[in-house]
Amino acid sequence: MANYPSAKKRIRQTERRTERNKHIRSTVRTFIKRVRKAIEDGNAEEARSALKVAESQIDRAVSKGVYHAKAGARYVSRLASQVARLG
């Protein structure tokens, strides 16, 4: 357990950040799942619109530092190529 005030503050900050990051990561995963579900169903139009929303959520998570920039780009790239294959 932390004894110094600065260490106690650090613990509080970490807890807040962890909660925020968990929420953002969970939200991103949900939107990615929606894109994958549309791809699985073969619904190209729905997949395209879901990809647009997912891409903005991923970019938002990257800007907040939840994901590394290249990880976000990788997620978007892979989803976009899967959607493009639908036609």
Side-chain angles (χ1 to χ4, degrees):
M1 187 61 205
N3 291 318
Y4 295 102
S6 59
K8 290 178 181 178
K9 181 180 177 181
R10 270 302 187 195
I11 289 170
R12 290 194 308 270
Q13 289 174 330
T14 301
E15 286 172 354
R16 277 197 303 268
R17 270 194 210 106
T18 302
E19 280 303 308
R20 189 195 77 182
N21 291 347
K22 241 191 258 186
H23 177 264
I24 293 169
R25 209 175 294 122
S26 173
T27 303
V28 168
R29 284 194 200 115
T30 301
F31 283 103
I32 289 173
K33 282 178 197 169
R34 288 181 188 170
V35 177
R36 289 190 178 142
K37 178 86 168 84
I39 291 168
E40 194 177 289
D41 294 343
N43 191 340
E45 191 57 42
E46 188 179 321
R48 272 192 284 278
S49 63
L51 174 65
K52 192 174 181 182
V53 177
E55 188 173 352
S56 72
Q57 290 292 325
I58 292 168
D59 289 343
R60 185 175 293 154
V62 167
S63 73
K64 290 180 184 294
V66 178
Y67 289 117
H68 189 274
K70 289 191 177 183
R74 186 176 61 242
Y75 293 148
V76 171
S77 173
R78 288 179 181 170
L79 286 173
S81 67
Q82 289 172 4
V83 170
R85 269 186 249 137
L86 279 179

